[in-house]
Protein backbone atom coordinates (compact mmCIF):
# COMPACT_ATOMS: atom_id res chain seq x y z
CA UNK A 1 0.00 0.00 0.00
CA UNK A 2 1.33 3.43 -0.99
CA UNK A 3 1.69 5.80 1.97
CA UNK A 4 4.57 8.23 2.15
CA UNK A 5 5.45 11.87 2.68
CA UNK A 6 6.52 14.12 -0.16
CA UNK A 7 7.63 17.73 -0.35
CA UNK A 8 7.75 20.13 -3.25
CA UNK A 9 9.74 23.34 -3.61
CA UNK A 10 9.44 26.24 -3.29
CA UNK A 11 7.56 25.77 -0.02
CA UNK A 12 10.10 24.76 2.56
CA UNK A 13 8.92 22.77 5.57
CA UNK A 14 5.60 22.01 3.87
CA UNK A 15 4.78 18.38 3.21
CA UNK A 16 1.96 16.32 1.79
CA UNK A 17 0.70 12.93 2.86
CA UNK A 18 0.54 10.67 -0.19
CA UNK A 19 -2.13 7.98 0.14
CA UNK A 20 -3.17 5.14 -2.14
CA UNK A 21 -6.75 5.32 -3.37
CA UNK A 22 -6.89 1.51 -3.23
CA UNK A 23 -6.60 1.24 0.56
CA UNK A 24 -6.90 4.67 2.18
CA UNK A 25 -6.47 4.89 5.93
CA UNK A 26 -8.72 7.14 7.99
CA UNK A 27 -5.77 8.67 9.86
CA UNK A 28 -4.10 9.49 6.56
CA UNK A 29 -7.24 11.10 5.18
CA UNK A 30 -7.57 13.24 8.29
CA UNK A 31 -4.23 14.93 7.69
CA UNK A 32 -3.77 18.13 5.71
CA UNK A 33 -2.69 18.43 3.00
CA UNK A 34 -2.63 15.19 1.05
CA UNK A 35 -2.44 13.68 -2.42
CA UNK A 36 -4.51 10.63 -3.34
CA UNK A 37 -2.53 8.42 -5.71
CA UNK A 38 -3.86 5.70 -7.98
CA UNK A 39 -2.82 2.18 -6.89
CA UNK A 40 -0.03 1.79 -9.45
CA UNK A 41 1.80 4.82 -8.14
CA UNK A 42 2.63 7.95 -10.11
CA UNK A 43 4.74 6.51 -12.90
CA UNK A 44 2.17 5.33 -15.43
CA UNK A 45 -0.95 6.46 -17.26
CA UNK A 46 -1.87 9.88 -15.78
CA UNK A 47 1.03 11.25 -13.75
CA UNK A 48 -0.66 14.24 -12.14
CA UNK A 49 1.46 14.17 -8.98
CA UNK A 50 3.27 17.48 -9.50
CA UNK A 51 0.11 19.37 -10.38
CA UNK A 52 -1.85 17.76 -7.54
CA UNK A 53 0.89 18.44 -4.99
CA UNK A 54 1.55 22.06 -5.90
CA UNK A 55 -2.14 23.02 -6.11
CA UNK A 56 -2.86 21.06 -2.92
CA UNK A 57 -0.23 23.09 -1.09
CA UNK A 58 -1.47 26.33 -2.65
CA UNK A 59 -4.97 25.61 -1.32
CA UNK A 60 -3.61 25.66 2.25
CA UNK A 61 -1.85 28.98 1.58
CA UNK A 62 -4.47 31.05 -0.27
CA UNK A 63 -3.85 34.69 0.63
CA UNK A 64 -0.34 34.06 2.02
CA UNK A 65 2.10 36.95 1.62
CA UNK A 66 5.21 34.77 1.95
CA UNK A 67 7.55 34.68 -1.05
CA UNK A 68 9.70 31.78 -2.23
CA UNK A 69 12.18 31.04 -4.96
CA UNK A 70 10.22 29.31 -7.73
CA UNK A 71 11.21 25.73 -8.63
CA UNK A 72 12.21 24.43 -12.02
CA UNK A 73 9.02 23.11 -13.61
CA UNK A 74 7.54 22.52 -17.04
CA UNK A 75 3.99 23.26 -15.85
CA UNK A 76 2.86 26.34 -17.74
CA UNK A 77 1.61 29.26 -15.68
CA UNK A 78 0.05 31.24 -18.53
CA UNK A 79 -3.18 29.24 -18.61
CA UNK A 80 -5.09 26.67 -16.57
CA UNK A 81 -8.13 24.44 -16.82
CA UNK A 82 -11.21 24.20 -14.60
CA UNK A 83 -13.35 21.11 -15.18
CA UNK A 84 -16.86 20.24 -14.20
CA UNK A 85 -16.97 16.52 -13.34
CA UNK A 86 -20.37 14.94 -14.06
CA UNK A 87 -21.00 14.92 -17.79
CA UNK A 88 -17.45 16.06 -18.58
CA UNK A 89 -15.10 13.54 -16.95
CA UNK A 90 -17.54 11.08 -15.36
CA UNK A 91 -21.01 9.86 -16.32
CA UNK A 92 -23.02 7.51 -14.14
CA UNK A 93 -20.01 6.77 -11.95
CA UNK A 94 -17.86 5.65 -14.87
CA UNK A 95 -15.14 7.63 -16.65
CA UNK A 96 -16.01 9.12 -20.02
CA UNK A 97 -13.44 7.43 -22.34
CA UNK A 98 -11.95 10.66 -23.67
CA UNK A 99 -11.36 11.95 -20.11
CA UNK A 100 -8.49 9.57 -19.43
CA UNK A 101 -6.73 10.64 -22.62
CA UNK A 102 -7.37 14.33 -21.90
CA UNK A 103 -5.59 14.07 -18.56
CA UNK A 104 -2.64 12.33 -20.20
CA UNK A 105 -2.34 15.33 -22.50
CA UNK A 106 -2.51 17.79 -19.60
CA UNK A 107 0.12 15.84 -17.69
CA UNK A 108 2.71 16.08 -20.43
CA UNK A 109 1.82 13.59 -23.16
CA UNK A 110 1.51 16.23 -25.88
CA UNK A 111 3.50 17.78 -28.73
CA UNK A 112 4.31 20.96 -26.80
CA UNK A 113 6.55 19.54 -24.07
CA UNK A 114 4.60 21.09 -21.21
CA UNK A 115 2.09 20.28 -18.52
CA UNK A 116 -0.98 22.43 -17.78
CA UNK A 117 -2.50 22.96 -14.30
CA UNK A 118 -6.10 22.02 -13.62
CA UNK A 119 -8.74 22.10 -10.90
CA UNK A 120 -12.22 20.61 -10.54
CA UNK A 121 -15.24 22.85 -9.97
CA UNK A 122 -18.35 20.78 -9.37
CA UNK A 123 -21.83 21.39 -8.04
CA UNK A 124 -21.83 17.80 -6.82
CA UNK A 125 -21.78 17.34 -3.06
CA UNK A 126 -22.81 15.14 -0.19
CA UNK A 127 -19.24 14.00 0.42
CA UNK A 128 -16.11 15.62 1.77
CA UNK A 129 -13.66 16.98 -0.75
CA UNK A 130 -11.35 14.10 0.21
CA UNK A 131 -14.00 11.49 -0.57
CA UNK A 132 -14.60 13.10 -3.96
CA UNK A 133 -10.85 13.01 -4.45
CA UNK A 134 -10.72 9.28 -3.66
CA UNK A 135 -13.51 8.58 -6.14
CA UNK A 136 -11.89 10.52 -8.97
CA UNK A 137 -8.45 9.02 -8.36
CA UNK A 138 -9.92 5.51 -8.66
CA UNK A 139 -12.08 6.34 -11.65
CA UNK A 140 -9.38 8.09 -13.71
CA UNK A 141 -6.19 6.40 -12.41
CA UNK A 142 -4.99 9.82 -11.38
CA UNK A 143 -3.00 11.51 -8.64
CA UNK A 144 -5.38 14.10 -7.17
CA UNK A 145 -5.33 16.49 -4.21
CA UNK A 146 -8.43 17.57 -2.26
CA UNK A 147 -7.09 21.09 -2.78
CA UNK A 148 -7.95 20.76 -6.47
CA UNK A 149 -11.65 20.33 -5.63
CA UNK A 150 -14.20 23.11 -5.26
CA UNK A 151 -17.57 21.50 -4.46
CA UNK A 152 -20.94 23.24 -4.40
CA UNK A 153 -20.98 23.26 -0.60
CA UNK A 154 -17.29 24.20 -0.11
CA UNK A 155 -18.11 27.92 0.42
CA UNK A 156 -20.55 26.96 3.20
CA UNK A 157 -17.58 26.33 5.50
CA UNK A 158 -17.30 30.10 5.85
CA UNK A 159 -20.78 30.20 7.48
CA UNK A 160 -19.94 27.86 10.36
CA UNK A 161 -19.33 30.80 12.71
CA UNK A 162 -22.67 32.43 11.84
CA UNK A 163 -25.07 29.64 12.81
CA UNK A 164 -24.89 27.37 15.85
CA UNK A 165 -27.59 24.72 15.28
CA UNK A 166 -28.24 23.80 11.66
CA UNK A 167 -30.35 21.28 9.78
CA UNK A 168 -28.37 19.54 7.02
CA UNK A 169 -30.38 17.85 4.26
CA UNK A 170 -29.51 15.42 1.46
CA UNK A 171 -26.96 12.79 0.62
CA UNK A 172 -26.47 9.24 1.80
CA UNK A 173 -26.67 8.25 5.46
CA UNK A 174 -24.65 10.45 7.80
CA UNK A 175 -22.24 11.78 5.17
CA UNK A 176 -23.61 15.32 5.01
CA UNK A 177 -23.56 15.61 8.80
CA UNK A 178 -19.89 14.63 8.74
CA UNK A 179 -19.16 17.18 6.00
CA UNK A 180 -20.85 19.94 8.01
CA UNK A 181 -19.04 18.99 11.21
CA UNK A 182 -15.79 18.94 9.26
CA UNK A 183 -16.52 22.50 8.17
CA UNK A 184 -16.79 23.53 11.82
CA UNK A 185 -20.56 23.67 12.37
CA UNK A 186 -21.09 23.22 16.10
CA UNK A 187 -24.47 21.46 16.27
CA UNK A 188 -25.64 19.55 13.18
CA UNK A 189 -29.15 18.07 12.92
CA UNK A 190 -30.43 15.72 10.21
CA UNK A 191 -34.01 14.87 9.16
CA UNK A 192 -33.43 11.44 10.72
CA UNK A 193 -32.87 13.05 14.13
CA UNK A 194 -36.20 14.86 13.84
CA UNK A 195 -38.10 11.75 12.74
CA UNK A 196 -36.50 9.75 15.54
CA UNK A 197 -37.82 12.29 18.06
CA UNK A 198 -41.33 12.28 16.52
CA UNK A 199 -42.09 9.50 14.02
CA UNK A 200 -45.36 11.21 13.05
CA UNK A 201 -43.37 14.02 11.41
CA UNK A 202 -43.36 12.20 8.07
CA UNK A 203 -46.44 9.91 7.85
CA UNK A 204 -45.15 7.89 4.89
CA UNK A 205 -41.52 7.53 5.87
CA UNK A 206 -40.19 5.32 8.61
CA UNK A 207 -36.52 5.15 9.52
CA UNK A 208 -34.62 2.03 8.56
CA UNK A 209 -32.77 0.06 11.21
CA UNK A 210 -29.48 1.68 10.15
CA UNK A 211 -31.01 5.19 10.15
CA UNK A 212 -32.47 4.61 13.61
CA UNK A 213 -29.06 3.48 14.87
CA UNK A 214 -27.18 6.52 13.60
CA UNK A 215 -29.80 9.25 14.09
CA UNK A 216 -29.34 11.18 17.32
CA UNK A 217 -32.18 11.35 19.81
CA UNK A 218 -32.94 14.97 20.71
CA UNK A 219 -35.82 16.86 22.28
CA UNK A 220 -36.72 19.29 19.52
CA UNK A 221 -39.27 21.05 21.70
CA UNK A 222 -36.26 22.69 23.32
CA UNK A 223 -34.10 23.34 20.25
CA UNK A 224 -34.07 26.30 17.87
CA UNK A 225 -32.64 25.60 14.44
CA UNK A 226 -30.78 28.63 13.12
CA UNK A 227 -30.36 27.70 9.45
CA UNK A 228 -31.09 24.98 6.88
CA UNK A 229 -28.41 23.74 4.50
CA UNK A 230 -29.17 21.45 1.57
CA UNK A 231 -25.74 19.92 1.02
CA UNK A 232 -26.68 17.28 -1.55
CA UNK A 233 -29.62 15.93 -3.52
CA UNK A 234 -32.49 14.76 -1.32
CA UNK A 235 -33.15 11.03 -1.16
CA UNK A 236 -36.65 11.68 0.21
CA UNK A 237 -38.27 14.73 -1.34
CA UNK A 238 -41.58 14.39 0.51
CA UNK A 239 -40.10 13.90 3.97
CA UNK A 240 -37.34 16.48 3.62
CA UNK A 241 -39.67 19.14 2.22
CA UNK A 242 -42.17 18.49 5.00
CA UNK A 243 -39.51 19.06 7.66
CA UNK A 244 -38.12 22.15 5.92
CA UNK A 245 -41.64 23.56 5.53
CA UNK A 246 -42.37 22.96 9.24
CA UNK A 247 -39.28 24.96 10.14
CA UNK A 248 -39.98 27.76 7.66
CA UNK A 249 -43.45 28.23 9.16
CA UNK A 250 -42.21 28.01 12.75
CA UNK A 251 -41.38 30.58 15.38
CA UNK A 252 -37.61 31.11 15.26
CA UNK A 253 -36.86 27.58 14.05
CA UNK A 254 -38.57 25.69 16.87
CA UNK A 255 -40.44 22.63 15.60
CA UNK A 256 -44.07 22.29 16.70
CA UNK A 257 -44.68 26.04 16.65
CA UNK A 258 -46.37 28.13 13.97
CA UNK A 259 -45.56 31.74 13.24
CA UNK A 260 -48.62 33.95 12.61
CA UNK A 261 -46.67 35.82 9.92
CA UNK A 262 -44.70 32.91 8.41
CA UNK A 263 -41.56 35.04 8.30
CA UNK A 264 -39.73 33.93 11.46
CA UNK A 265 -38.26 30.69 10.15
CA UNK A 266 -34.56 30.02 9.51
CA UNK A 267 -32.85 30.87 6.20
CA UNK A 268 -32.40 28.11 3.61
CA UNK A 269 -29.16 27.59 1.65
CA UNK A 270 -28.68 25.25 -1.32
CA UNK A 271 -25.23 24.09 -2.40
CA UNK A 272 -26.19 24.61 -6.05
CA UNK A 273 -29.13 25.31 -8.33
CA UNK A 274 -28.83 22.76 -11.15
CA UNK A 275 -32.36 21.81 -12.20
CA UNK A 276 -31.11 18.81 -14.19
CA UNK A 277 -27.87 16.84 -14.39
CA UNK A 278 -26.29 14.06 -16.43
CA UNK A 279 -26.26 10.45 -15.19
CA UNK A 280 -25.97 7.02 -16.81
CA UNK A 281 -29.61 7.38 -17.92
CA UNK A 282 -30.08 8.45 -21.53
CA UNK A 283 -32.10 11.48 -20.38
CA UNK A 284 -31.12 14.11 -17.81
CA UNK A 285 -32.40 13.66 -14.25
CA UNK A 286 -33.81 16.36 -11.97
CA UNK A 287 -31.48 17.80 -9.36
CA UNK A 288 -31.27 20.18 -6.44
CA UNK A 289 -32.53 23.18 -8.40
CA UNK A 290 -35.78 21.31 -8.96
CA UNK A 291 -36.09 20.71 -5.22
CA UNK A 292 -35.52 24.42 -4.61
CA UNK A 293 -38.23 25.37 -7.12
CA UNK A 294 -40.61 22.82 -5.59
CA UNK A 295 -40.00 24.08 -2.06
CA UNK A 296 -40.53 27.71 -3.03
CA UNK A 297 -43.76 26.84 -4.88
CA UNK A 298 -45.02 24.75 -1.96
CA UNK A 299 -44.31 27.50 0.56
CA UNK A 300 -46.28 29.99 -1.52
CA UNK A 301 -49.16 27.54 -1.98
CA UNK A 302 -49.42 26.99 1.79
CA UNK A 303 -48.69 30.50 3.10
CA UNK A 304 -49.44 32.77 0.17
CA UNK A 305 -45.96 34.31 0.55
CA UNK A 306 -42.80 34.27 -1.52
CA UNK A 307 -39.89 32.28 -0.12
CA UNK A 308 -36.39 33.64 -0.62
CA UNK A 309 -33.63 31.05 -0.59
CA UNK A 310 -29.91 31.28 -1.38
CA UNK A 311 -27.88 29.04 -3.69
CA UNK A 312 -24.12 28.54 -3.87
CA UNK A 313 -22.13 26.71 -6.55
CA UNK A 314 -22.14 27.51 -10.25
CA UNK A 315 -23.14 29.91 -11.74
CA UNK A 316 -22.76 32.06 -8.59
CA UNK A 317 -19.61 34.18 -8.76
CA UNK A 318 -18.31 33.19 -5.32
CA UNK A 319 -17.23 29.79 -6.65
CA UNK A 320 -15.27 31.44 -9.47
CA UNK A 321 -13.69 33.99 -7.13
CA UNK A 322 -12.39 31.15 -4.94
CA UNK A 323 -11.05 29.31 -7.99
CA UNK A 324 -9.23 32.47 -9.05
CA UNK A 325 -7.64 32.96 -5.63
CA UNK A 326 -6.49 29.34 -5.61
CA UNK A 327 -4.89 29.53 -9.06
CA UNK A 328 -3.30 32.87 -8.22
CA UNK A 329 -1.69 31.38 -5.09
CA UNK A 330 -0.49 28.40 -7.13
CA UNK A 331 1.11 30.70 -9.73
CA UNK A 332 2.76 32.75 -7.00
CA UNK A 333 4.19 29.65 -5.31
CA UNK A 334 5.45 27.98 -8.48
CA UNK A 335 6.36 30.92 -10.73
CA UNK A 336 6.67 33.92 -8.36
CA UNK A 337 3.91 35.79 -10.22
CA UNK A 338 1.18 37.14 -7.94
CA UNK A 339 -1.56 37.07 -10.56
CA UNK A 340 -3.94 34.34 -11.71
CA UNK A 341 -3.16 32.61 -15.01
CA UNK A 342 -3.89 34.83 -17.99
CA UNK A 343 -6.58 32.47 -19.27
CA UNK A 344 -8.68 29.84 -17.50
CA UNK A 345 -10.43 27.35 -19.78
CA UNK A 346 -13.66 26.30 -18.09
CA UNK A 347 -15.03 23.03 -19.50
CA UNK A 348 -18.62 22.11 -18.67
CA UNK A 349 -21.69 20.31 -19.98
CA UNK A 350 -24.48 22.52 -18.61
CA UNK A 351 -25.14 25.89 -20.28
CA UNK A 352 -27.26 27.20 -17.39
CA UNK A 353 -24.56 26.75 -14.73
CA UNK A 354 -21.17 26.03 -16.29
CA UNK A 355 -21.27 28.31 -19.32
CA UNK A 356 -23.35 31.03 -17.71
CA UNK A 357 -21.05 31.11 -14.69
CA UNK A 358 -17.84 31.27 -16.71
CA UNK A 359 -19.21 33.88 -19.12
CA UNK A 360 -20.56 36.11 -16.36
CA UNK A 361 -17.35 35.89 -14.35
CA UNK A 362 -15.29 36.68 -17.43
CA UNK A 363 -17.02 40.09 -17.53
CA UNK A 364 -15.74 41.01 -14.07
CA UNK A 365 -12.48 39.06 -13.78
CA UNK A 366 -9.03 40.56 -14.32
CA UNK A 367 -8.07 37.52 -16.40
CA UNK A 368 -9.89 35.74 -19.23
CA UNK A 369 -12.33 32.88 -18.61
CA UNK A 370 -12.87 30.94 -21.84
CA UNK A 371 -15.99 28.73 -21.73
CA UNK A 372 -16.08 25.39 -23.57
CA UNK A 373 -19.26 23.32 -23.80
CA UNK A 374 -19.02 19.54 -24.33
CA UNK A 375 -21.64 17.21 -25.80
CA UNK A 376 -21.10 14.31 -23.37
CA UNK A 377 -23.50 15.51 -20.67
CA UNK A 378 -26.57 17.70 -20.27
CA UNK A 379 -26.19 19.62 -23.54
CA UNK A 380 -27.18 17.72 -26.67
CA UNK A 381 -26.96 18.50 -30.38
CA UNK A 382 -30.15 19.85 -31.87
CA UNK A 383 -30.75 22.28 -29.01
CA UNK A 384 -29.68 25.90 -28.75
CA UNK A 385 -27.93 26.73 -25.46
CA UNK A 386 -29.43 29.68 -23.63
CA UNK A 387 -25.92 30.76 -22.66
CA UNK A 388 -23.51 30.63 -25.59
CA UNK A 389 -20.01 29.25 -24.99
CA UNK A 390 -16.81 30.50 -26.57
CA UNK A 391 -16.52 27.03 -28.15
CA UNK A 392 -18.55 23.82 -28.41
CA UNK A 393 -16.79 20.47 -28.84
CA UNK A 394 -17.61 16.78 -28.71
CA UNK A 395 -15.59 15.81 -25.63
CA UNK A 396 -13.21 16.96 -22.93
CA UNK A 397 -10.29 15.69 -25.01
CA UNK A 398 -11.34 17.97 -27.83
CA UNK A 399 -11.61 20.84 -25.34
CA UNK A 400 -8.07 20.26 -24.05
CA UNK A 401 -6.63 19.96 -27.55
CA UNK A 402 -8.44 23.11 -28.69
CA UNK A 403 -7.17 25.13 -25.73
CA UNK A 404 -3.56 23.94 -25.92
CA UNK A 405 -3.45 24.51 -29.68
CA UNK A 406 -4.90 28.00 -29.15
CA UNK A 407 -2.27 28.80 -26.52
CA UNK A 408 0.50 27.44 -28.75
CA UNK A 409 -0.64 29.65 -31.62
CA UNK A 410 -0.79 32.66 -29.28
CA UNK A 411 2.73 32.01 -28.04
CA UNK A 412 4.05 31.85 -31.59
CA UNK A 413 2.30 35.08 -32.38
CA UNK A 414 3.67 36.75 -29.27
CA UNK A 415 7.15 35.33 -29.74
CA UNK A 416 7.03 33.37 -26.50
CA UNK A 417 8.75 29.99 -26.18
CA UNK A 418 6.07 27.45 -25.31
CA UNK A 419 8.62 25.23 -23.59
CA UNK A 420 9.40 28.14 -21.23
Amino acid sequence: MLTDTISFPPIEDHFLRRISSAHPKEDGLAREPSVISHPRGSVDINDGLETAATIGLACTRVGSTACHTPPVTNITDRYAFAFDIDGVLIRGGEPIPQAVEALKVLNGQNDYGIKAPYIFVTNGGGKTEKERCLDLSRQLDLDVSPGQFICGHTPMREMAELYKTVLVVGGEGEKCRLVAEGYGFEDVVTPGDIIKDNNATTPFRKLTEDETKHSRLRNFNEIEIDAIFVFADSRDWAGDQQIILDLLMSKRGRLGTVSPTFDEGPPVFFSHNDVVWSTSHELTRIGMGALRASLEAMFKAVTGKELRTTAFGKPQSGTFHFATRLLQQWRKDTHAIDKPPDTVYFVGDTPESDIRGANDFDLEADNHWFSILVRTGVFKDGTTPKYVPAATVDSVLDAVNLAMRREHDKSLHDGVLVSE
Side-chain angles (χ1 to χ4, degrees):
M1 179 176 64
L2 173 66
T3 55
D4 55 20
T5 301
I6 54 177
S7 63
F8 277 82
I11 308 172
E12 298 176 357
D13 300 324
H14 284 71
F15 302 91
L16 296 102
R17 183 78 167 173
R18 185 161 167 238
I19 304 163
S20 171
S21 61
H23 304 286
K25 289 185 176 181
E26 291 300 324
D27 60 339
L29 287 175
R31 302 185 185 188
E32 286 282 2
S34 58
V35 170
I36 310 299
S37 290
H38 56 79
R40 289 184 292 280
S42 62
V43 294
D44 53 0
I45 305 187
N46 291 332
D47 180 7
L49 180 59
E50 184 179 4
T51 295
T54 52
I55 293 181
L57 287 173
C59 186
T60 69
R61 294 166 42 78
V62 171
S64 171
T65 58
C67 296
H68 303 272
T69 302
V72 176
T73 179
N74 67 339
I75 302 180
T76 183
D77 68 297
R78 291 183 294 106
Y79 62 97
F81 289 83
F83 296 108
D84 182 27
I85 296 178
D86 293 312
V88 175
L89 301 172
I90 303 294
R91 185 171 55 227
E94 298 295 327
I96 292 172
Q98 297 90 339
V100 175
E101 188 66 28
L103 288 160
K104 291 182 187 180
V105 174
L106 290 178
N107 289 315
Q109 296 187 31
N110 56 65
D111 295 333
Y112 310 115
I114 62 171
K115 297 180 181 181
Y118 50 90
I119 60 175
F120 308 102
V121 183
T122 173
N123 278 347
K127 300 179 180 180
T128 65
E129 287 79 358
K130 288 186 177 179
E131 284 187 274
R132 297 282 301 193
C133 185
L134 279 169
D135 290 342
L136 201 64
S137 177
R138 292 167 179 151
Q139 290 162 332
L140 297 178
D141 286 336
L142 182 69
D143 289 326
V144 194
S145 167
Q148 291 175 279
F149 278 78
I150 303 174
C151 297
H153 49 58
T154 300
M156 290 180 176
R157 68 171 70 235
E158 299 177 350
M159 307 183 76
E161 296 181 358
L162 300 178
Y163 302 105
K164 178 184 177 182
T165 301
V166 299
L167 172 68
V168 171
V169 175
E172 300 173 358
E174 294 285 292
K175 288 185 177 181
C176 285
R177 192 203 304 266
L178 298 177
V179 173
E181 290 176 341
Y183 286 173
F185 285 97
E186 181 179 343
D187 185 16
V188 182
V189 173
T190 68
D193 298 345
I194 294 170
I195 297 170
K196 189 171 185 176
D197 178 53
N198 183 353
N199 60 17
T201 301
T202 52
F204 304 113
R205 177 189 173 187
K206 303 302 177 185
L207 297 181
T208 65
E209 182 177 342
D210 189 63
E211 288 173 330
T212 301
K213 177 181 176 181
H214 290 99
S215 296
R216 301 172 185 175
L217 187 59
R218 310 280 297 273
N219 181 0
F220 285 97
N221 291 325
E222 301 175 352
I223 296 172
E224 291 186 1
I225 293 176
D226 302 315
I228 302 167
F229 290 90
V230 184
F231 267 44
D233 286 299
S234 169
R235 271 54 173 179
D236 175 27
W237 272 43
D240 289 346
Q241 286 190 99
Q242 180 67 71
I243 290 170
I244 295 172
L245 187 64
D246 287 346
L247 286 169
L248 291 173
M249 297 172 60
S250 71
K251 294 181 179 179
R252 299 181 301 280
R254 190 179 290 263
L255 287 165
T257 66
V258 179
S259 167
T261 58
F262 302 126
D263 59 5
E264 299 179 62
V268 186
F269 301 95
F270 291 83
S271 66
H272 66 83
N273 194 42
D274 285 351
V275 176
V276 296
W277 64 299
S278 177
T279 71
S280 57
H281 197 278
E282 62 270 19
L283 301 177
T284 57
R285 305 288 86 185
I286 57 176
M288 190 181 298
L291 176 67
R292 183 187 186 192
S294 174
L295 182 65
E296 291 175 349
M298 187 188 310
F299 183 82
K300 185 171 184 179
V302 174
T303 68
K305 292 192 171 185
E306 299 288 341
L307 173 64
R308 296 184 180 276
T309 62
T310 302
F312 291 88
K314 302 169 292 184
Q316 280 68 35
S317 64
T319 295
F320 294 88
H321 278 292
F322 184 82
T324 299
R325 293 197 300 272
L326 172 60
L327 291 171
Q328 179 169 336
Q329 184 66 50
W330 172 85
R331 195 182 193 193
K332 180 181 177 182
D333 286 348
T334 58
H335 293 80
I337 300 174
D338 195 11
K339 295 180 179 179
D342 302 335
T343 303
V344 178
Y345 291 93
F346 193 98
V347 185
D349 70 309
T350 308
E352 289 74 15
S353 57
D354 298 323
I355 304 307
R356 178 186 180 184
N359 289 353
D360 288 352
F361 190 67
D362 183 57
L363 297 176
E364 64 176 272
D366 293 330
N367 60 342
H368 180 33
W369 283 68
F370 188 101
S371 60
I372 304 179
L373 181 64
V374 295
R375 298 185 177 96
T376 51
V378 170
F379 173 72
K380 302 295 183 185
D381 272 336
T383 62
T384 302
K386 183 177 181 180
Y387 300 93
V388 181
T392 302
V393 297
D394 288 335
S395 72
V396 64
L397 177 59
D398 296 320
V400 167
N401 286 333
L402 179 152
M404 295 190 79
R405 184 169 57 249
R406 181 174 182 270
E407 290 296 324
H408 177 68
D409 292 344
K410 284 168 57 180
S411 69
L412 294 179
H413 180 269
D414 297 338
V416 179
L417 290 175
V418 177
S419 61
E420 300 175 339

